[in-house]
Amino acid sequence: MAIRQLPPNLVNRIAAGEVVERPASVVKELIENAIDAGATRIDVVANGGGLGLIRVTDDGSGMDRDDLALAVERHATSKLQNDDLSTILTLGFRGEALPSIGAVARLTIMSRARGADEAYEIAVDGGRKAPVKPAAIGSGTRIEVRDLFYATPARLKFMKSERAESGAIADIVKRLALAKPEIAFSLANGERTILRLEPCPPGLLDHGLPRLGRILGEDFVADALPVRAARGNIAVEGFAGLATLHRPNSLGQYLVVNGRPVRDKLLAGAVRAGYGDLVPNGRHPMLALFLTLPPDEIDVNVHPAKTELRFRDAQAVRALIVTALHEALGSAQHRATASLSQEALARMARPSSGFTSHPPPRAFGFAERAQAPLGPVATPSAATHANADDGDPTAYPLGAARAQVHDTFIIAETETSLVIVDQHAAHERLVYERLKKAFANGGLSRQMLLIPEVVELDAEAADRLAGAAVELERLGLVVEAFGQSAVIVREVPALLGQGNIQGLLRDLADELAEDEGSLVVSERLDHVLSIMACHGSVRAGRRLNAEEMNALLRDMEETPFSGQCNHGRPTYVELKLADIEKLFQRR
């Protein structure tokens, strides 16, 4: 079969397969064109999930007759100054979107150049272009796309439900609106307006949070931490949600680079590293980060959709984001997401979980006997003391311990709320942070066991632990082989006290098996320390006395990230007195 040049109409349909994946792709391309045209307001209408009608209207610079005729030609663009691909300052630059859309749909463009007396219109129907003709429209551009994919009906079989396609359109409008807070946006489905955003004054950290709340929700506003950092010519700012505010997918993560919303693997990895073990496995934090750097430091010409990037200094970008997030999250100290308390109260208020539907709990109160100490107790800082009068312990941020329920939960009272603490989850985080700090400051001090403990394992597990003995000793854990299917533990980290040594050794052996070698200890140090903290912390079911419970609360107030345990679960819930009064209809 001889090689031949494909006809332009077929070339455009092939190109449409890359650029126009679904209706949301069309919306993205048209909004980007409006932004590049200097629009201050962009209105989007999408009917039938975008397959029936997509209309994008803007008040940008518009086009004259000649530009309008060229706009629907392949690889025709006004956005590449001096044909330079190394310094791209616009969202679009390929010149593929409009001809690709026109190849698979019925496309109509009406436009009036700013300051011009005449407006013009051009139509492209399944790749067939009509002549430019006069039109009636104010300054700016209106683009209508009808019957998307009618010219390639096979593509319609791959479309999702109308609801799913509408959701994808709403997501792309939100991402572009978040990236351009100075532009007003609206989204309607023909029957009602789904989203309306007014422009935001300059100054993201000072004025941007309310608009972000319209996109990410009010829970995000309540739990947002400001993020700002710079290194060399790279800067990042925005807001990061508390680690206890997370979702089952990454749709709540908004990443913007030089005004371009992206879904980039490097940036997503930096976000995961920044939150680390603060978020449970399979959950995703919520945040909005804006990264700025010189345009010649990134390559946006990597993917047709322009959502993936290449960075000249990827490690510097990653390090900046990880550090910025870690500092922002550390500043939150023990703070946990406000929505936890509302969720707890909502469950309590449901008829199916009424107060009389269960038998009354057994009597509870302070333990009558003392237990082994919880470990070193932090001395409250001057800031903490300033918040609490010596005569009123409820003035502390987490209040004063009043009771222990089921030997698992500490009930504390503040001036305006009731605090419920999961004692194991809280102490696990405290031990973990102490272990990390001690290791960073030169190593973990060890304590010798009066009677060395023998841990029975299978032969393979015992061999893995014995092979990692040198690295484990750096972490304060001294183990030796003891026969063919056991190890003997002679010393443990002093911070672990009388922890569950048997469980710790078994979990470490499993971890070594999963990563096929002793290098896991050095490569995944934080994870190994987390395992040690889990087995060295006070367990659920252990009775605590009043002094121990209050010491735990004071430690939590002084320890970064103590609002969640090592697995990302919350360590406490705070119920406001006003909300509790509503439960009993006192308000």
Side-chain angles (χ1 to χ4, degrees), residues 7-55:
N9 188 42
L10 183 57
V11 170
N12 284 339
R13 290 187 184 183
I14 293 173
E18 292 182 333
V19 179
V20 187
E21 180 184 359
R22 60 193 303 189
S25 307
V26 174
V27 174
K28 173 183 176 294
E29 297 291 343
L30 298 184
I31 292 179
E32 287 183 348
N33 280 346
I35 292 171
D36 289 340
T40 62
R41 173 170 290 279
I42 301 173
D43 299 307
V44 181
V45 175
N47 292 347
L51 293 171
L53 168 68
I54 294 172
R55 180 189 301 124

Side-chain angles (χ1 to χ4, degrees), residues 19-315:
V19 179
V20 187
E21 180 184 359
R22 60 193 303 189
S25 307
V26 174
V27 174
K28 173 183 176 294
E29 297 291 343
L30 298 184
I31 292 179
E32 287 183 348
N33 280 346
I35 292 171
D36 289 340
T40 62
R41 173 170 290 279
I42 301 173
D43 299 307
V44 181
V45 175
N47 292 347
L51 293 171
L53 168 68
I54 294 172
R55 180 189 301 124
V56 177
T57 306
D58 69 70
D59 63 352
S61 59
M63 293 175 280
D64 60 21
R65 184 187 189 107
D66 293 338
D67 281 349
L68 191 58
L70 272 176
V72 294
E73 296 294 334
R74 189 160 167 77
H75 298 310
T77 182
S78 62
K79 302 173 185 180
L80 282 180
Q81 298 288 337
N82 303 318
D83 298 335
D84 184 6
L85 282 174
S86 65
T87 308
I88 295 174
L89 303 176
T90 55
L91 296 180
F93 57 88
R94 293 173 178 266
E96 290 182 310
L98 293 179
S100 296
I101 296 168
V104 296
R106 307 184 201 278
L107 171 69
T108 303
I109 308 174
M110 302 174 66
S111 188
R112 175 183 291 190
R114 188 170 292 151
D117 295 329
E118 298 85 15
Y120 297 93
E121 172 185 327
I122 191 171
V124 183
D125 190 336
R128 298 181 296 275
K129 292 186 284 290
V132 177
K133 63 181 182 180
I137 186 177
S139 294
T141 301
R142 183 171 71 214
I143 300 180
E144 287 189 358
V145 180
R146 296 182 181 272
D147 303 328
L148 184 61
F149 298 129
Y150 93 94
T152 53
R155 294 291 300 277
L156 291 171
K157 299 177 183 178
F158 297 92
M159 294 299 105
K160 297 182 179 179
S161 66
E162 180 177 329
R163 175 177 293 183
E165 296 299 343
S166 296
I169 290 172
D171 180 66
I172 201 67
V173 172
K174 289 177 180 179
R175 291 186 182 278
L176 286 160
L178 183 139
K180 297 294 180 180
E182 71 279 8
I183 300 177
F185 279 83
S186 73
L187 171 64
N189 62 8
E191 298 176 357
R192 62 186 182 90
T193 299
I194 300 169
L195 179 70
R196 185 178 298 279
L197 298 170
E198 295 305 318
C200 175
L204 176 67
L205 295 186
D206 295 328
H207 306 291
L209 191 56
R211 175 154 162 157
L212 293 181
R214 297 288 309 281
I215 296 171
L216 284 96
E218 290 306 313
D219 285 351
F220 182 77
V221 174
D223 296 335
L225 303 169
V227 177
R228 176 176 281 167
R231 183 177 299 170
N233 56 9
I234 309 173
V236 64
E237 67 174 351
F239 292 91
L242 289 172
T244 45
L245 180 69
H246 43 69
R247 296 290 182 264
N249 54 49
S250 60
L251 291 179
Q253 295 180 7
Y254 290 75
L255 304 170
V256 180
V257 179
N258 287 359
R260 181 188 305 276
V262 298
R263 291 182 179 272
D264 185 77
K265 293 179 181 178
L266 172 79
L267 301 183
V271 169
R272 286 194 300 270
Y275 277 84
D277 54 27
L278 301 179
V279 175
N281 288 334
R283 304 290 291 185
H284 302 266
M286 298 181 68
L287 78 168
L289 295 182
F290 296 75
L291 187 71
T292 56
L293 67 168
D296 59 353
E297 292 288 319
I298 56 174
D299 182 4
V300 300
N301 190 26
V302 177
H303 187 275
K306 304 178 289 293
T307 56
E308 297 179 13
L309 309 172
R310 285 200 186 101
F311 295 92
R312 179 170 294 180
D313 192 347
Q315 282 304 110

